[in-house]
């Protein structure tokens, strides 16, 4: 579609900032879910935390995973780790089928167009709340604040209506 999703040069800025903050905030993250993130960068960063026993990747497009392994091995190299469970599924459906299972859920989605629109809706965040354990934490990438400020405000408001503690960083 002509849009740049990731590059080897700058991906670390996004992946480190989003994922290490939440994994260092949770007291003992053992089971982590990534919705989207087929490039593997989130999984790579998650596996740097020794407490993580399982990292589930719920990616709707298997081609993203295979293409990333072929062309972006620096990012996708950890997808073959035995702690990784790759599910080529719709992440929205996946969370609704897995109640109270995850310590941390991370949303690493594309722009809110096409099949990703549902990843920015209140019902999706309610499903995440139900898929988390009692002390679970959600982190969601919601686009650039310089280009999508209104989207971020709406998502924050939706999440704040569901989760007892909500922070924007």
């Amino acid at each position: 579609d002509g849009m740049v999703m990731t590059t080897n040069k700058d991906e670390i800025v996004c992946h480190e900032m989003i994922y290490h903050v939440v994994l260092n905030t949770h007291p003992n993250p053992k089971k982590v879910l990534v919705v989207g993130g087929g490039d593997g960068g989130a999984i790579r960063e998650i596996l740097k935390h020794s407490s993580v026993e399982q990292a589930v990747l719920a990616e709707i497009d298997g081609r993203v995973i295979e293409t990333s392994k072929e062309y972006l091995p620096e990012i996708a190299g950890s997808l073959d780790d035995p702690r990784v469970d790759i599910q080529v599924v719709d992440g929205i459906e996946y969370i609704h089928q897995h109640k109270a299972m995850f310590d941390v859920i991370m949303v690493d989605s594309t722009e809110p167009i096409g099949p990703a629109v549902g990843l920015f809706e209140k019902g999706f965040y309610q499903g995440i709340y139900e898929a988390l354990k009692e002390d679970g934490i959600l982190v969601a990438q919601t686009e650039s604040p310089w280009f999508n400020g209104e989207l971020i405000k709406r998502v924050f408001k939706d999440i704040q209506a569901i989760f007892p503690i909500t922070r924007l960083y």
Side-chain angles (χ1 to χ4, degrees):
D1 62 7
M3 299 176 78
V4 175
M5 295 289 107
T6 192
T7 69
N8 283 329
K9 187 168 184 150
D10 70 351
E11 60 83 22
I12 199 74
V13 175
C14 172
H15 291 128
E16 281 190 350
M17 183 60 185
I18 294 175
Y19 307 114
H20 292 294
V21 172
V22 71
L23 290 166
N24 285 314
T25 299
H26 192 283
N28 192 23
K30 291 183 178 185
K31 189 166 185 176
V32 179
L33 169 65
V34 178
V35 177
D39 61 34
I43 294 294
R44 180 194 64 213
E45 298 306 311
I46 290 165
L47 295 178
K48 291 178 180 178
H49 292 261
S50 60
S51 66
V52 174
E53 297 171 358
Q54 183 181 35
V56 178
L57 177 68
E59 169 61 57
I60 197 167
D61 187 350
R63 272 190 68 210
V64 172
I65 298 166
E66 295 310 314
T67 302
S68 296
K69 284 181 177 181
E70 183 176 352
Y71 294 103
L72 301 168
E74 301 88 348
I75 301 172
S78 295
L79 291 174
D80 293 326
D81 187 287
R83 295 172 289 169
V84 178
D85 176 14
I86 297 175
Q87 299 290 316
V88 180
V89 296
D90 183 325
I92 297 168
E93 292 177 19
Y94 189 86
I95 62 157
H96 289 294
Q97 297 168 357
H98 296 84
K99 305 291 184 198
M101 290 189 61
F102 298 98
D103 299 303
V104 174
I105 297 178
M106 304 174 169
V107 182
D108 186 1
S109 64
T110 63
E111 288 77 13
I113 55 174
V117 168
L119 300 176
F120 292 83
E121 294 179 355
K122 191 172 184 178
F124 174 61
Y125 300 118
Q126 181 63 47
I128 288 175
Y129 183 80
E130 295 168 8
L132 285 165
K133 295 177 183 175
E134 188 174 325
D135 64 347
I137 300 175
L138 157 69
V139 65
Q141 163 302 107
T142 55
E143 293 302 310
S144 166
W146 291 280
F147 300 108
N148 295 300
E150 291 306 312
L151 170 68
I152 293 170
K153 288 177 188 175
R154 181 180 55 80
V155 167
F156 184 77
K157 184 178 175 184
D158 288 347
I159 292 173
Q160 197 172 35
I162 298 166
F163 286 82
I165 300 170
T166 308
R167 301 287 184 263
L168 183 65
Y169 72 94

